[in-house]
């Protein structure tokens, strides 16, 4: 019997995130025929307080957890890592990819990331490749506290593009406006837009952009969390397409995703959080005979696995699971007035951008950077 400890976050904009993670790991274990398991959960709020996460994790290990799976940001993973080196157990970190991890490898921690910053980098590269060299950048006050701006702008700069205008929307939703952005674009009609929003803030962007006719007039590349499909299902089509890069979508037509969708999308609730939890189950199943740190590392590091996102590679130099990135577009659903996400192809510049992202991580390692501490997108009320 394998005992799995789950550290689960809370999010106002994704109120089902803890259920999604539990459903994903359970379905993944069942799919991998790893059924002799016990799952024990602990709540860690918005995953912001390291001491609280440490205490919950310590209790799970003391209660006999063979492995702990936690949705926390990378700095928290580094904070709690000594518990795992001391106990000889493994930590699997589920992460949005919107923080920068430590530049040095954690021996007893493996990371399954939703690759948020990497997707932003790919989108910026593709924007330049498509001919949009000069862009405006806009994001929510919330997203500005993560690595969305750096990922977009660094990639754009390296690809030969530039930012001519920056606009951060107000913190209060009641004050939300895209008028400054619209005014800039009206004066500079050849400029494109790079945008970073999530959840209800993405909904605000789509609705305000529709009123100002931005989507019909300009090329807009959005961050991956702008196109999370549970939100897109209820957002009216803004009058024109939006381009993006994502690490997963419902319509990716590969065996791993078909199995995932068959297992989890019957209630229509499959999302990126259940995807990375499913992939944690894949790793656990691969090392189910012995989950001690040495044995699990031998089973995971340097090996390939199949998941809903396609072929996964566990990089032995970083202990990060590397997954594909796909070019996608937000279009109108044929049966109603709402949005849908269409995957166009796998991005061929992913590995180049992954290497540049790793260079950014090393560049800023040890420096104090402004950031929110909670795990993206875990917001309190």
């Amino acid at each position: 019997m394998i005992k799995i400890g789950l550290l689960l976050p809370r999010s106002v904009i994704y109120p089902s995130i803890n259920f999604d993670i539990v459903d994903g790991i359970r379905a993944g274990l069942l799919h991998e025929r790893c059924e002799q398991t016990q799952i024990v959960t602990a709540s860690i709020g918005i995953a912001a307080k390291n001491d609280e996460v440490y205490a919950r994790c310590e209790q799970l290990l003391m209660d006999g957890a063979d492995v702990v799976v936690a949705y926390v940001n990378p700095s928290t993973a580094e904070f709690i890592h000594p518990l795992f080196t001391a106990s000889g157990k493994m930590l699997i970190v589920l992460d949005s990819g919107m923080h920068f991890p430590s530049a040095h490898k954690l021996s007893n921690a493996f990371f399954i990331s939703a690759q948020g910053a990497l997707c932003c980098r790919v989108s910026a590269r593709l924007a330049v490749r498509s001919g949009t060299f000069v862009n405006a950048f806009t994001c929510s006050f919330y997203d500005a506290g993560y690595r969305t701006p750096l990922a977009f702008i660094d990639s754009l700069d390296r690809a030969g593009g530039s930012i001519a205008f920056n606009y951060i929307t107000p913190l209060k939703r009641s004050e939300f406006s895209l008028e400054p952005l619209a005014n800039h674009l009206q004066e500079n009609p050849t400029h494109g837009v790079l945008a970073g929003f999530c959840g209800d803030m993405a909904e605000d962007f789509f609705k305000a952009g529709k009123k100002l006719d931005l989507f019909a007039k300009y090329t807009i590349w959005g961050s991956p969390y702008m196109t999370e499909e549970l939100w897109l299902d209820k957002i009216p089509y803004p009058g024109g397409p939006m381009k993006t890069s994502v690490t997963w979508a419902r319509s990716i037509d590969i065996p791993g995703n078909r199995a995932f969708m068959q297992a989890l999308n019957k209630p229509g609730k499959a999302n990126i959080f259940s995807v990375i939890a499913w992939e944690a189950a894949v790793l656990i199943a691969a090392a189910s005979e012995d989950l001690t740190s040495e044995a699990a590392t031998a089973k995971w590091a340097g090996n390939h696995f199949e998941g809903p996102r396609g072929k996964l590679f566990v990089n032995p130099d970083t202990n990060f699971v590397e997954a594909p990135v796909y070019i996608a577009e937000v279009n109108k659903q044929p049966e109603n007035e709402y949005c849908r996400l269409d995957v166009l192809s796998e991005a061929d510049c992913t590995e180049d951008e992954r290497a540049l992202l790793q260079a950014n991580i090393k560049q800023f390692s040890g420096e104090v950077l402004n950031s929110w501490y909670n795990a993206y997108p875990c917001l309190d009320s």
Side-chain angles (χ1 to χ4, degrees):
M1 176 70 70
I2 301 170
K3 190 171 185 178
I4 302 168
L6 278 183
L7 294 179
L8 299 172
R10 184 179 71 250
S11 173
V12 171
I13 57 175
Y14 291 100
S16 69
I17 187 171
N18 47 3
F19 299 106
D20 298 330
I21 291 171
V22 171
D23 289 345
I25 199 166
R26 281 179 174 162
L29 290 168
L30 185 62
H31 180 263
E32 296 295 321
R33 295 183 171 85
C34 184
E35 300 175 17
Q36 298 301 309
T37 59
Q38 177 188 5
I39 295 175
V40 181
T41 65
S43 175
I44 51 174
I46 60 173
K49 298 177 180 177
N50 285 349
D51 289 337
E52 181 180 344
V53 176
Y54 189 100
R56 298 287 188 278
C57 191
E58 184 178 41
Q59 190 61 54
L60 288 174
L61 290 171
M62 291 177 66
D63 288 343
D66 297 296
V67 61
V68 172
V69 180
Y71 189 92
V72 294
N73 67 49
S75 64
T76 298
E78 189 168 9
F79 185 85
I80 64 176
H81 185 248
L83 283 171
F84 294 86
T85 56
S87 65
K89 300 294 180 65
M90 298 304 297
L91 169 66
I92 298 178
V93 181
L94 308 182
D95 172 50
S96 67
M98 286 301 201
H99 282 285
F100 277 178
S102 170
H104 63 271
K105 182 172 72 173
L106 303 181
S107 61
N108 289 45
F110 283 74
F111 292 77
I112 303 177
S113 171
Q115 304 188 141
L118 176 62
C119 291
C120 292
R121 293 194 66 96
V122 170
S123 288
R125 168 83 73 99
L126 295 174
V128 173
R129 185 185 291 181
S130 68
T132 310
F133 290 93
V134 182
N135 291 271
F137 174 76
T138 183
C139 72
S140 70
F141 187 90
Y142 175 72
D143 282 82
Y146 294 95
R147 299 297 165 245
T148 312
L150 179 58
F152 269 130
I153 294 167
D154 184 74
S155 178
L156 187 72
D157 180 67
R158 291 175 184 270
S162 63
I163 294 293
F165 180 78
N166 287 287
Y167 176 58
I168 309 302
T169 57
L171 175 61
K172 293 183 179 180
R173 290 189 69 194
S174 60
E175 299 174 359
F176 188 93
S177 171
L178 293 182
E179 291 288 350
L181 175 65
N183 292 337
H184 168 80
L185 293 173
Q186 188 172 4
E187 296 172 2
N188 302 275
T190 62
H191 291 186
V193 178
L194 303 178
F197 297 83
C198 72
D200 53 1
M201 293 163 278
E203 185 176 9
D204 291 340
F205 180 84
F206 277 98
K207 289 181 176 179
K210 181 177 183 178
K211 289 180 180 179
L212 295 167
D213 209 22
L214 300 185
F215 288 85
K217 293 179 178 178
Y218 308 103
T219 301
I220 300 176
W221 286 86
S223 63
Y225 286 90
M226 291 185 73
T227 57
E228 200 287 309
E229 289 172 281
L230 291 182
W231 275 99
L232 281 184
D233 287 343
K234 55 187 179 183
I235 296 176
Y237 184 64
M242 185 184 76
K243 301 178 184 297
T244 188
S245 300
V246 297
T247 193
W248 175 80
R250 295 169 180 165
S251 61
I252 297 172
D253 191 17
I254 55 175
N257 198 40
R258 288 196 293 270
F260 170 79
M261 291 294 289
Q262 184 176 7
L264 277 177
N265 207 47
K266 291 175 182 176
K269 293 183 179 179
N271 62 19
I272 186 60
F273 307 113
S274 47
V275 167
I276 57 178
W278 175 290
E279 291 171 354
V282 172
L283 292 190
I284 291 170
S288 59
E289 293 181 1
D290 187 353
L291 277 163
T292 58
S293 57
E294 185 175 346
T297 297
K299 288 286 187 179
W300 297 342
N303 292 314
H304 290 86
F305 301 90
E306 290 292 330
R309 296 185 282 179
K311 189 176 291 292
L312 309 173
F313 172 65
V314 185
N315 188 326
D317 296 326
T318 62
N319 282 357
F320 264 72
V321 172
E322 298 178 353
V325 170
Y326 299 88
I327 306 169
E329 190 172 85
V330 175
N331 291 304
K332 181 178 174 295
Q333 292 189 24
E335 64 274 13
N336 57 44
E337 296 299 317
Y338 294 89
C339 295
R340 75 174 186 192
L341 186 65
D342 295 323
V343 171
L344 305 179
S345 64
E346 190 171 338
D348 62 3
C349 59
T350 300
E351 296 313 311
D352 289 342
E353 290 299 332
R354 196 189 307 277
L356 292 171
L357 176 60
Q358 192 62 30
N360 269 172
I361 292 167
K362 291 180 179 179
Q363 176 186 357
F364 293 107
S365 178
E367 294 190 19
V368 177
L369 300 176
N370 290 333
S371 178
W372 305 124
Y373 290 110
N374 56 301
Y376 184 101
C378 297
L379 284 168
D380 209 341
S381 55

